[in-house]
Amino acid sequence: MNLLDSLRRAVRHYPGGVDAVAARLGKSPSTLEKELRHAPQFKMGAEDAAEIAAMCMEHGGEFAADYPTRVAEAVGATLFLLPKGIELVDGVTARGVAELMRECADVVSAAATADADGQISKNELDNLQRQWAELVSAGQKLMQHMDAKHQATMAKYRAREGGAA
Protein backbone atom coordinates (compact mmCIF):
# COMPACT_ATOMS: atom_id res chain seq x y z
CA MET A 1 0.00 0.00 0.00
CA ASN A 2 1.39 3.39 -0.92
CA LEU A 3 1.34 6.61 1.10
CA LEU A 4 -1.80 8.09 -0.44
CA ASP A 5 -3.69 4.80 -0.23
CA SER A 6 -2.96 4.60 3.49
CA LEU A 7 -4.00 8.22 4.03
CA ARG A 8 -7.16 7.79 1.94
CA ARG A 9 -8.16 4.70 3.94
CA ALA A 10 -7.58 6.50 7.25
CA VAL A 11 -9.74 9.44 6.09
CA ARG A 12 -12.55 7.18 4.91
CA HIS A 13 -12.62 5.44 8.30
CA TYR A 14 -12.53 8.71 10.26
CA PRO A 15 -15.96 9.59 11.78
CA GLY A 16 -17.71 11.66 9.13
CA GLY A 17 -15.16 10.64 6.50
CA VAL A 18 -13.87 13.07 3.89
CA ASP A 19 -16.45 15.72 4.81
CA ALA A 20 -15.39 15.84 8.47
CA VAL A 21 -11.65 15.81 7.74
CA ALA A 22 -12.04 18.50 5.07
CA ALA A 23 -13.97 20.70 7.50
CA ARG A 24 -11.22 20.36 10.12
CA LEU A 25 -8.60 21.24 7.51
CA GLY A 26 -10.63 24.22 6.30
CA LYS A 27 -10.96 23.02 2.73
CA SER A 28 -13.78 21.71 0.59
CA PRO A 29 -14.51 17.97 0.59
CA SER A 30 -14.15 17.86 -3.20
CA THR A 31 -10.66 19.38 -3.00
CA LEU A 32 -9.59 16.93 -0.31
CA GLU A 33 -11.01 14.01 -2.29
CA LYS A 34 -9.05 15.10 -5.37
CA GLU A 35 -5.85 15.45 -3.33
CA LEU A 36 -6.35 11.97 -1.88
CA ARG A 37 -6.85 10.56 -5.40
CA HIS A 38 -3.88 12.57 -6.71
CA ALA A 39 -6.09 13.93 -9.45
CA PRO A 40 -4.36 16.07 -12.09
CA GLN A 41 -3.41 19.48 -10.66
CA PHE A 42 -4.08 18.30 -7.05
CA LYS A 43 -1.41 17.19 -4.59
CA MET A 44 -1.60 16.34 -0.91
CA GLY A 45 0.72 18.61 1.04
CA ALA A 46 2.99 17.30 3.77
CA GLU A 47 1.43 19.54 6.44
CA ASP A 48 -2.11 18.44 5.56
CA ALA A 49 -1.05 14.79 5.50
CA ALA A 50 0.53 15.17 8.95
CA GLU A 51 -2.57 16.95 10.27
CA ILE A 52 -4.82 14.20 8.90
CA ALA A 53 -2.61 11.55 10.49
CA ALA A 54 -2.76 13.38 13.82
CA MET A 55 -6.57 13.65 13.62
CA CYS A 56 -6.90 9.97 12.84
CA MET A 57 -4.47 8.96 15.61
CA GLU A 58 -6.37 11.17 18.05
CA HIS A 59 -9.56 9.33 17.13
CA GLY A 60 -7.77 5.99 17.22
CA GLY A 61 -9.48 4.43 14.23
CA GLU A 62 -8.57 1.04 12.82
CA PHE A 63 -6.31 2.45 10.07
CA ALA A 64 -5.07 5.56 11.89
CA ALA A 65 -1.41 4.51 12.05
CA ASP A 66 -1.18 3.29 8.44
CA TYR A 67 0.08 6.57 6.96
CA PRO A 68 2.78 7.25 9.58
CA THR A 69 3.80 3.59 9.29
CA ARG A 70 4.20 3.92 5.49
CA VAL A 71 6.27 7.10 5.98
CA ALA A 72 8.54 5.27 8.44
CA GLU A 73 8.89 2.32 6.06
CA ALA A 74 9.77 4.66 3.18
CA VAL A 75 12.86 5.80 5.08
CA GLY A 76 13.79 2.38 6.45
CA ALA A 77 12.45 3.03 9.94
CA THR A 78 9.87 1.51 12.24
CA LEU A 79 7.00 3.40 13.81
CA PHE A 80 6.79 3.18 17.59
CA LEU A 81 3.64 4.65 19.08
CA LEU A 82 4.57 6.44 22.27
CA PRO A 83 2.56 6.10 25.46
CA LYS A 84 -0.09 8.69 26.16
CA GLY A 85 -0.27 10.30 29.57
CA ILE A 86 1.56 9.41 32.71
CA GLU A 87 0.56 9.14 36.31
CA LEU A 88 2.40 11.11 38.96
CA VAL A 89 2.42 8.91 42.03
CA ASP A 90 5.08 8.58 44.72
CA GLY A 91 7.44 5.75 43.87
CA VAL A 92 6.56 5.78 40.18
CA THR A 93 10.16 6.64 39.24
CA ALA A 94 11.44 3.41 40.80
CA ARG A 95 8.65 1.45 39.13
CA GLY A 96 9.44 3.10 35.80
CA VAL A 97 13.12 2.21 36.06
CA ALA A 98 12.23 -1.35 37.09
CA GLU A 99 9.89 -1.67 34.10
CA LEU A 100 12.61 -0.34 31.79
CA MET A 101 15.07 -2.91 33.12
CA ARG A 102 12.53 -5.75 32.71
CA GLU A 103 11.98 -4.71 29.10
CA CYS A 104 15.75 -4.51 28.56
CA ALA A 105 16.11 -8.05 29.91
CA ASP A 106 13.34 -9.20 27.54
CA VAL A 107 15.25 -7.74 24.57
CA VAL A 108 18.48 -9.45 25.65
CA SER A 109 16.65 -12.74 26.17
CA ALA A 110 14.83 -12.54 22.82
CA ALA A 111 18.07 -11.73 20.98
CA ALA A 112 20.02 -14.53 22.65
CA THR A 113 17.24 -17.06 22.08
CA ALA A 114 16.79 -16.05 18.44
CA ASP A 115 20.50 -16.25 17.69
CA ALA A 116 21.13 -19.49 19.62
CA ASP A 117 21.19 -21.57 16.43
CA GLY A 118 23.03 -18.94 14.39
CA GLN A 119 19.96 -18.21 12.24
CA ILE A 120 17.15 -15.69 12.69
CA SER A 121 13.65 -16.65 11.52
CA LYS A 122 10.96 -14.14 10.59
CA ASN A 123 9.04 -15.03 13.78
CA GLU A 124 12.17 -14.51 15.88
CA LEU A 125 12.84 -11.17 14.23
CA ASP A 126 9.21 -10.10 14.71
CA ASN A 127 9.39 -11.08 18.40
CA LEU A 128 12.65 -9.17 18.85
CA GLN A 129 11.16 -6.08 17.18
CA ARG A 130 8.12 -6.33 19.47
CA GLN A 131 10.37 -6.60 22.53
CA TRP A 132 12.39 -3.62 21.31
CA ALA A 133 9.23 -1.54 20.85
CA GLU A 134 8.19 -2.35 24.41
CA LEU A 135 11.64 -1.28 25.67
CA VAL A 136 11.42 2.02 23.77
CA SER A 137 7.92 2.59 25.14
CA ALA A 138 9.05 1.93 28.72
CA GLY A 139 11.97 4.34 28.24
CA GLN A 140 9.67 6.99 26.84
CA LYS A 141 7.27 6.59 29.79
CA LEU A 142 10.17 7.06 32.18
CA MET A 143 11.36 10.17 30.33
CA GLN A 144 7.85 11.65 30.32
CA HIS A 145 7.56 10.99 34.04
CA MET A 146 10.93 12.57 34.78
CA ASP A 147 10.05 15.60 32.64
CA ALA A 148 6.72 15.98 34.47
CA LYS A 149 8.55 15.84 37.81
CA HIS A 150 11.02 18.43 36.54
CA GLN A 151 8.17 20.71 35.45
CA ALA A 152 6.54 20.32 38.91
CA THR A 153 9.87 21.12 40.58
CA MET A 154 10.31 24.22 38.43
CA ALA A 155 6.73 25.36 39.15
CA LYS A 156 7.43 25.14 42.91
CA TYR A 157 10.67 27.08 42.43
CA ARG A 158 8.94 29.78 40.36
CA ALA A 159 6.11 30.03 42.92
CA ARG A 160 8.65 30.55 45.73
CA GLU A 161 10.43 33.24 43.72
CA GLY A 162 7.14 34.95 42.93
CA GLY A 163 6.02 34.77 46.55
CA ALA A 164 9.25 36.32 47.86
CA ALA A 165 9.06 39.34 45.58
Side-chain angles (χ1 to χ4, degrees):
M1 173 182 305
N2 71 29
L3 288 166
L4 275 179
D5 288 340
S6 62
L7 197 59
R8 185 172 33 251
R9 183 164 66 173
V11 167
R12 290 207 168 89
H13 286 86
Y14 186 82
V18 173
D19 292 340
V21 172
R24 287 192 64 185
L25 291 174
K27 58 176 64 181
S28 76
S30 65
T31 298
L32 178 58
E33 182 63 40
K34 289 172 187 166
E35 290 174 349
L36 290 168
R37 284 189 291 113
H38 203 284
Q41 310 300 318
F42 290 88
K43 292 188 179 191
M44 174 60 62
E47 289 181 7
D48 284 345
E51 184 64 26
I52 290 168
M55 280 185 243
C56 292
M57 290 300 294
E58 180 183 288
H59 169 64
E62 181 179 356
F63 303 106
D66 284 1
Y67 176 75
T69 298
R70 295 297 87 70
V71 171
E73 288 171 352
V75 297
T78 299
L79 177 68
F80 292 112
L81 298 178
L82 300 177
K84 294 181 182 180
I86 58 168
E87 57 180 85
L88 286 177
V89 179
D90 290 340
V92 95
T93 301
R95 284 195 304 270
V97 171
E99 177 64 22
L100 182 63
M101 291 301 97
R102 276 192 300 278
E103 295 300 343
C104 188
D106 288 347
V107 168
V108 171
S109 177
T113 300
D115 199 34
D117 62 359
Q119 300 177 40
I120 307 293
S121 72
K122 176 69 171 132
N123 286 342
E124 290 169 329
L125 182 59
D126 288 348
N127 180 51
L128 184 56
Q129 288 173 331
R130 197 170 28 261
Q131 295 301 326
W132 178 254
E134 291 173 8
L135 172 63
V136 171
S137 178
Q140 188 63 31
K141 284 179 187 175
L142 179 62
M143 292 298 99
Q144 286 176 335
H145 171 71
M146 298 304 282
D147 181 61
K149 287 187 91 164
H150 167 71
Q151 295 303 324
T153 299
M154 295 309 295
K156 287 179 191 175
Y157 177 74
R158 285 189 291 274
R160 274 194 303 239
E161 279 189 343

